[in-house]
Amino acid sequence: MREDSPNPTSSTVSIGDAARALNLSEKSLRRLADRGDIPSTRTAGGHRRFTLPAVRAALGTIAHTGLTHRGEADWTGDVDLVDLDEAIVWSRIATALSLDPKSEGTRIMNYAFTEMLNNAIDHSGGGQAMVRVWSAPDQLAFEIQDDGLGAYLRLRDGLGLVSVLDAAAELTKGKRTTWPERHTGEGIFFTSKAVTEFRLSANGIRLTIDNQRDDYALGASAVTEGTRVEAALDLPPTTTLREVFQEFTDDDLRFSRSRPRIELFGTGLSFVSRSEARRVLADMTDFDDIDIDFTGVDDVGQGFVDELFRVWPSQNTGVQLHPLNMNDAVAFMVRRGIGVRGKGSLPSDAESG
């Protein structure tokens, strides 16, 4: 029997069995174990083994840790979502906490809070939300927890996606919404870029975007009912809200640039199939420029590269693709894939690192 195969008599399981039992990717489990967030052991052959009860307990602790570690919130309230005006709620909070309306930190959090509360009002399908806000000289933070269907499940069903994990990745593109008549799909995208750290937990999974470390993480969450949104902004902020918008908009202030993170669109660190490439660029024809961020990707295959940089652009003329943050192996395959066809070249602003 292979060392990493299931053993019914053992209290530990392989990474593959643990991933299936916990509804997580092996990549996520491996990263959590590497960081020491969940316990694991190794066999004599070097294969990881997991004890499921211990891992579930650790995941529950992580899920309840949150982005803020300041104890009791400075403002707490339950709000009825039906016919709620999110601007009035923020005004009440800002007044109670004596937030300076002219400071850039307050401007950013005003935008982030009202966008996320409006999402709960319009999209959650819930009736109530619990709001908590922390205010300190070096950080502003909030948490909004509604009692609705769950953001990932709603997006999965509304966009016809395969899984809630697919829905989490789709949110990082921008312009993804189940109600295009009323919403642009920009709120989560720009909120996640404007704050220091952003977390969206729902339907048993959690997406964390840490802009200070330029890190994205997708993991398990104890939040299985409703949606919990957390955002923290270090003070003073390192960027302005205007600068965040300018990075992804054109001269006409149209949201024209996106930056999908490749590592969120698969179950590992290698991307080889054409279907994975098509998933990355699905429904992105409304952008003029797309930064393809390869941070965290170990290697890519010829089919993936060909679909991404030749087939899709040939079918969607006018959209420019810019590969970013490639290691040497990925950069080699991208350059080779483009060069083999004898058409085009690696964009001049491509980066490797």
Side-chain angles (χ1 to χ4, degrees):
M1 177 181 293
R2 290 173 51 194
E3 290 185 63
D4 60 340
S5 61
N7 183 352
T9 64
S10 175
S11 61
T12 63
V13 298
S14 69
I15 190 169
D17 290 325
R20 284 186 288 272
L22 298 166
N23 193 31
L24 284 173
S25 69
E26 292 184 18
K27 176 182 71 173
S28 295
L29 282 180
R30 191 173 292 110
R31 286 184 175 179
L32 289 168
D34 287 342
R35 292 202 305 255
D37 291 336
I38 60 175
S40 68
T41 58
R42 289 187 182 273
T43 67
H47 300 290
R48 288 189 188 275
R49 305 293 293 186
F50 297 86
T51 303
L52 289 178
V55 173
R56 286 192 175 100
L59 290 174
T61 299
I62 296 169
H64 284 99
T65 300
L67 302 184
T68 59
H69 307 276
R70 303 185 180 281
E72 186 175 350
D74 297 297
W75 193 96
T76 302
D78 293 323
V79 294
D80 293 323
L81 296 176
V82 179
D83 297 324
L84 181 66
D85 185 332
E86 65 274 8
I88 292 177
V89 178
W90 175 256
S91 178
R92 190 186 313 157
I93 293 169
T95 299
L97 299 181
S98 300
L99 301 181
D100 180 4
K102 296 182 180 180
S103 74
E104 192 60 39
T106 300
R107 290 193 185 99
I108 292 173
M109 291 306 272
N110 181 354
Y111 170 80
F113 179 89
T114 53
E115 284 288 338
M116 294 305 95
L117 184 55
N118 182 262
N119 273 358
I121 295 167
D122 286 351
H123 294 298
S124 72
Q128 284 195 320
M130 182 188 73
V131 175
R132 297 197 296 169
V133 181
W134 291 260
S135 176
D138 62 340
Q139 188 185 76
L140 285 173
F142 69 78
E143 175 184 308
I144 301 171
Q145 169 102 41
D146 66 56
D147 59 357
L149 179 65
Y152 299 127
L153 187 59
R154 180 170 289 277
L155 197 63
R156 184 202 70 181
D157 294 345
L159 298 180
L161 304 173
V162 174
S163 71
V164 292
L165 290 173
D166 292 343
E170 288 295 309
L171 282 178
T172 66
K173 294 180 179 180
K175 297 189 182 182
R176 302 299 271 152
T177 177
T178 57
W179 197 0
E181 298 83 5
R182 287 278 303 273
H183 287 264
T184 61
E186 298 180 10
I188 289 177
F189 181 89
F190 282 107
T191 294
S192 70
K193 303 293 185 186
V195 299
T196 306
E197 193 168 0
F198 175 85
R199 179 178 291 174
L200 183 64
S201 305
N203 309 117
I205 64 173
R206 178 187 68 246
L207 172 66
T208 301
I209 299 175
D210 186 337
N211 290 308
Q212 189 173 42
R213 297 175 176 83
D214 190 26
D215 186 34
Y216 285 51
L218 195 57
S221 170
V223 179
T224 56
E225 297 182 1
T227 301
R228 178 189 298 163
V229 180
E230 301 164 80
L233 177 68
D234 291 346
L235 301 177
T238 59
T239 188
T240 67
L241 191 59
R242 181 177 180 178
E243 288 169 342
V244 171
F245 278 98
Q246 285 178 331
E247 186 176 359
F248 297 96
T249 55
D250 57 23
D251 293 339
D252 296 324
L253 303 182
R254 185 176 66 88
F255 182 16
S256 62
R257 191 173 198 123
S258 182
R259 188 173 297 153
R261 189 83 163 227
I262 294 293
E263 63 179 329
L264 297 178
F265 289 85
T267 57
L269 300 180
S270 299
F271 291 79
V272 298
S273 72
R274 293 182 181 273
S275 62
E276 288 175 317
R278 288 193 291 268
R279 182 184 163 207
V280 170
L281 294 175
D283 298 307
M284 297 199 73
T285 56
D286 196 34
F287 291 100
D288 296 336
D289 292 274
I290 302 174
D291 296 332
I292 309 295
D293 191 343
F294 284 95
T295 299
V297 176
D298 287 344
D299 54 78
V300 294
Q302 182 272 331
F304 180 85
V305 170
D306 186 59
E307 189 74 26
L308 201 66
F309 292 108
R310 185 187 68 84
V311 176
W312 193 89
S314 71
Q315 298 170 345
N316 300 277
T317 57
V319 183
Q320 299 295 316
L321 303 184
H322 311 276
L324 304 175
N325 302 320
M326 301 177 288
N327 66 22
D328 290 341
V330 172
F332 171 81
M333 288 301 294
V334 170
R335 292 179 187 278
R336 178 183 179 278
I338 294 174
V340 161
R341 297 295 171 180
K343 296 180 180 180
S345 60
L346 195 65
S348 59
D349 56 353
E351 300 175 5
S352 60

